Amino acid sequence: MKWSKLFLVAVALMAVAPFTSCGDDDNHASIPTRPSGENEADSIAIAQISWQEREIRDGVVSKTAQVQKLFDYPQTISMLEIDLNKANVSFVVSYEVSLSKTTSDRAIAANALAAINGTFFNTSTGVSRHFLKCNGTVVATTETNEFSTRATGAFCATGDRVEIKTWSSSDEASLGGDYQQVVVSGPLMMDNGHDVAMWANSFTTDTHPRTCVATTDDNRVLFLVFDGRLDGAKGVNLYDLRTFARQMGATDALNLDGGGSSTLYIQSYGVINHPCDNGKYDHEGERAVPSVLMVKTN
């Protein structure tokens, strides 16, 4: 059976299909850098995506797709769309200094409706490199050098009140204001509909698996995952990730940890994308991560 048929079967069952050709780690860049910027061919390809959709709850829909050519490569995309005008949900940050639990482990333990991996962390110790606030308590702070590189944005929430905003050392001093849940990450890609200047580094311009959280003017929250380092799924750079988020209606978009960490879990269906880790955390495929952004039913 051809891979494309296997993919369609996997999507229909919402199961994770096995992939091959996994890269080594988040610094691995076997795919040549693609010049940044939007072009008509990519815009048309995005508009013509044939999504496999599944309604998870009222106002919560999962979408998966395989695209033969987008941003110069074949892509496999997973998205969770949460319409806060309809969905009775809240957002919760989970953090534990541990390299033994995956995104799905943490989501299952919390009985979460859905979850994506959180922000960047020290891969030796499991300590978050960025500020995290869980249920009103600050549990991690930002490493100083990260403020000028990756820690430029934050996803903030109290219940279903959500904001993606810029982040700096002064914001950190205020502890994220009155928000109960805060995940600092980045680079911040879009702010109020405007492109944000991003870190001028290969981290931004190289092709990798990517995870993104975005919001729209019509009160939707998007969890986006591009698979990468896999046959049929090469991944994207951050300029292309921003282009895609914008075409999905996003006005604010924040890059989260990517590479082998990129994971989207949905209750009853499991991990719906195709994580590609190198096995160093003793989990085949899905990486163990210390922080997770979860969606819970109220």
Side-chain angles (χ1 to χ4, degrees):
M1 183 179 292
K2 294 182 178 179
W3 184 90
S4 59
K5 292 182 179 179
L6 284 173
F7 177 83
L8 293 174
V9 170
V11 168
L13 295 175
M14 298 303 291
V16 178
F19 279 69
T20 58
S21 302
C22 182
D24 291 335
D25 55 38
D26 286 343
N27 295 318
H28 178 78
S30 61
I31 308 303
T33 298
R34 178 186 183 277
S36 63
E38 300 180 34
N39 63 61
E40 185 177 1
D42 288 328
S43 295
I44 292 172
I46 295 171
Q48 292 180 343
I49 289 176
S50 179
W51 292 103
Q52 300 288 327
E53 298 188 11
R54 184 180 294 269
E55 185 175 26
I56 307 303
R57 294 284 192 280
D58 187 29
V60 182
V61 177
S62 73
K63 299 181 178 182
T64 55
Q66 181 192 13
V67 184
Q68 291 301 316
K69 186 177 181 181
L70 177 60
F71 307 125
D72 292 340
Y73 301 113
Q75 303 289 355
T76 302
I77 311 162
S78 302
M79 179 167 68
L80 188 71
E81 184 177 78
I82 306 155
D83 185 347
L84 296 179
N85 300 302
K86 300 177 182 178
N88 185 22
V89 299
S90 57
F91 295 87
V92 177
V93 175
S94 172
Y95 174 63
E96 179 183 352
V97 181
S98 170
L99 294 177
S100 63
K101 297 179 182 179
T102 64
T103 297
S104 60
D105 290 336
R106 296 181 186 282
I108 290 168
N111 193 30
L113 178 63
I116 52 174
N117 60 283
T119 192
F120 301 91
F121 59 96
N122 184 309
T123 56
S124 297
T125 65
V127 174
S128 177
R129 296 189 182 279
H130 296 159
F131 181 96
L132 293 168
K133 190 175 182 181
C134 308
N135 300 318
T137 300
V138 175
V139 294
T141 57
T142 303
E143 296 175 0
T144 302
N145 65 318
E146 291 285 315
F147 285 113
S148 60
T149 56
R150 295 183 295 192
T152 58
F155 175 89
C156 307
T158 297
D160 65 354
R161 179 170 66 93
V162 169
E163 180 184 7
I164 292 177
K165 56 177 289 184
T166 59
W167 191 261
S168 66
S169 57
S170 60
D171 292 297
E172 187 140 343
S174 71
L175 305 181
D178 65 347
Y179 284 106
Q180 293 293 297
Q181 318 289 334
V182 180
V183 178
V184 170
S185 191
L188 180 67
M189 298 182 290
M190 296 178 64
D191 181 36
N192 292 322
H194 300 290
D195 289 354
V196 176
M198 294 187 284
W199 188 19
N201 184 277
S202 60
F203 173 86
T204 299
T205 58
D206 282 354
T207 299
H208 292 293
R210 302 284 187 176
T211 301
C212 165
V213 59
T215 56
T216 70
D217 277 346
D218 59 357
N219 210 26
R220 288 177 294 135
V221 176
L222 308 177
F223 287 179
L224 295 172
V225 172
F226 272 79
D227 290 332
R229 305 174 189 163
L230 305 165
D231 295 337
K234 295 303 184 184
V236 292
N237 65 43
L238 293 188
Y239 297 102
D240 294 334
L241 182 61
R242 178 167 65 191
T243 294
F244 187 86
R246 179 185 292 108
Q247 202 151 333
M248 293 298 101
T251 53
D252 298 84
L254 179 68
N255 179 62
L256 298 175
D257 189 11
S261 297
S262 288
T263 304
L264 175 55
Y265 165 88
I266 297 177
Q267 191 177 68
S268 300
Y269 302 108
V271 175
I272 69 166
N273 74 303
H274 307 88
C276 182
D277 196 15
N278 58 23
K280 68 184 288 188
Y281 305 110
D282 299 319
H283 285 73
E284 184 178 354
E286 188 183 357
R287 172 178 292 180
V289 296
S291 65
V292 173
L293 176 58
M294 301 186 293
V295 184
K296 301 191 74 173
T297 53
N298 294 331

